[in-house]
Amino acid sequence: MEGSDSAETETADTLMTTVSHHHFGDEMDEPAFSISIIENMKEDYGLFVWPCSVVLAEYVWQQRLRFSGAGVVELGAGTSLPGLVAVKVGADVTLTDDSSRLEVLDNMKRVLDLNKLECNVLGLTWGVWDASTFSLHPKFILGADVLYDASAFDDLFATVTFLLQCSPGSVFITTYHNRSGHHLIEFLMVKWGLKCVKLLDAFSFMPSHKASGLSGNLQLAEIVLDSQRAEIPVLH
């Protein structure tokens, strides 16, 4: 399986369920820890570990000193690998996905139980403002492969901007397939009063044994509020 070190497969009814194992550590032979993810290959794209999640999870591990003790929200978490790594390195994590995707939210809870981890699981629909959204004050906002549906881009960036405004000094870290250059994300950042402070090619920091299982132009961006922008779109 792409991005996984091993997988065990079992068939339940007509669905194909897998448990993939993801290892993190400075030494490949002696990982610091492993995380197991329950995936469903046929049910929903939110129940599969995509390459961008593998990349973002590795980045969280490598930047673990930044995340230790920090508040973290993962948007569109799906199988939640980056957020779970953040839990393992000592962050206070809230995993979120669309409120209507109950099967994804339930799978998050099963994965937490499987790994004997604890954190908050929250239904959060981009562009929808409710009490739970206003309660979030993260230092880091994570989003792996959240730039896949053009119709949702404004709702996503509205949510990101709101969370950044709620937590001065916070950072949005996202990994994505750079299919048409950086122009789209640049346009969205300008529109929402944001700026990119770090842009990395995924293969520049991925360990070789993990990079070999990835393909495509994968990038990671760290994005913050642009303090020089006086006007930011009104959030409704």
Side-chain angles (χ1 to χ4, degrees), residues 122-124 127-138 159 162-163 165-167 235-236:
L122 177 67
L124 189 158
V128 175
W129 318 110
D130 54 28
S132 59
T133 306
F134 286 95
S135 69
L136 299 173
H137 300 280
T159 301
F162 175 80
L163 293 174
Q165 289 172 331
C166 287
S167 302
L235 305 178
H236 299 286

Side-chain angles (χ1 to χ4, degrees), residues 35 39 49 96 99 102 161 185 228:
I35 291 176
E39 303 182 61
V49 179
T96 74
S99 300
L102 298 181
T161 302
I185 196 168
Q228 296 182 349

Side-chain angles (χ1 to χ4, degrees), residues 86-144:
V87 175
K88 292 288 287 187
V89 301
D92 180 12
V93 177
T94 299
L95 303 174
T96 74
D97 211 301
D98 193 292
S99 300
S100 66
R101 301 174 69 192
L102 298 181
E103 72 285 358
V104 175
L105 296 170
D106 288 342
N107 193 63
M108 289 179 184
K109 297 172 184 177
R110 289 193 293 270
V111 170
L112 285 168
D113 290 341
L114 177 63
N115 291 278
K116 298 180 172 57
L117 297 175
E118 294 184 3
C119 71
N120 299 316
V121 174
L122 177 67
L124 189 158
T125 302
W126 303 337
V128 175
W129 318 110
D130 54 28
S132 59
T133 306
F134 286 95
S135 69
L136 299 173
H137 300 280
K139 174 68 174 176
F140 296 100
I141 305 158
L142 302 178

Side-chain angles (χ1 to χ4, degrees), residues 1-188:
M1 177 179 300
E2 188 173 44
S4 304
D5 297 287
S6 61
E8 301 164 356
T9 304
E10 61 180 9
T11 302
D13 300 325
T14 60
L15 304 178
M16 186 169 70
T17 299
T18 69
V19 177
S20 57
H21 306 287
H22 305 264
H23 308 302
F24 298 87
D26 296 326
E27 299 294 334
M28 184 173 62
D29 295 334
E30 297 182 8
F33 60 83
S34 297
I35 291 176
S36 300
I37 300 291
I38 302 169
E39 303 182 61
N40 192 309
M41 309 295 283
K42 295 182 179 179
E43 181 68 18
D44 191 288
Y45 57 81
L47 298 177
F48 179 74
V49 179
W50 297 96
C52 284
S53 293
V54 175
V55 171
L56 185 53
E58 178 63 28
Y59 188 73
V60 172
W61 161 251
Q62 293 184 16
Q63 300 282 316
R64 55 194 176 277
L65 294 181
R66 294 173 67 191
F67 285 88
S68 180
V72 173
V73 170
E74 185 175 1
L75 298 176
T79 51
S80 310
L81 183 60
L84 294 176
V85 173
V87 175
K88 292 288 287 187
V89 301
D92 180 12
V93 177
T94 299
L95 303 174
T96 74
D97 211 301
D98 193 292
S99 300
S100 66
R101 301 174 69 192
L102 298 181
E103 72 285 358
V104 175
L105 296 170
D106 288 342
N107 193 63
M108 289 179 184
K109 297 172 184 177
R110 289 193 293 270
V111 170
L112 285 168
D113 290 341
L114 177 63
N115 291 278
K116 298 180 172 57
L117 297 175
E118 294 184 3
C119 71
N120 299 316
V121 174
L122 177 67
L124 189 158
T125 302
W126 303 337
V128 175
W129 318 110
D130 54 28
S132 59
T133 306
F134 286 95
S135 69
L136 299 173
H137 300 280
K139 174 68 174 176
F140 296 100
I141 305 158
L142 302 178
D145 210 7
V146 290
L147 293 167
Y148 61 87
D149 180 1
S151 66
F153 286 171
D154 275 323
D155 285 339
L156 167 64
F157 272 78
T159 301
V160 168
T161 302
F162 175 80
L163 293 174
L164 291 173
Q165 289 172 331
C166 287
S167 302
S170 55
V171 183
F172 173 46
I173 306 177
T174 183
T175 48
Y176 58 97
H177 285 271
N178 188 9
R179 299 181 178 90
S180 57
H182 196 60
H183 306 297
L184 174 59
I185 196 168
E186 287 178 342
F187 169 78
L188 291 166

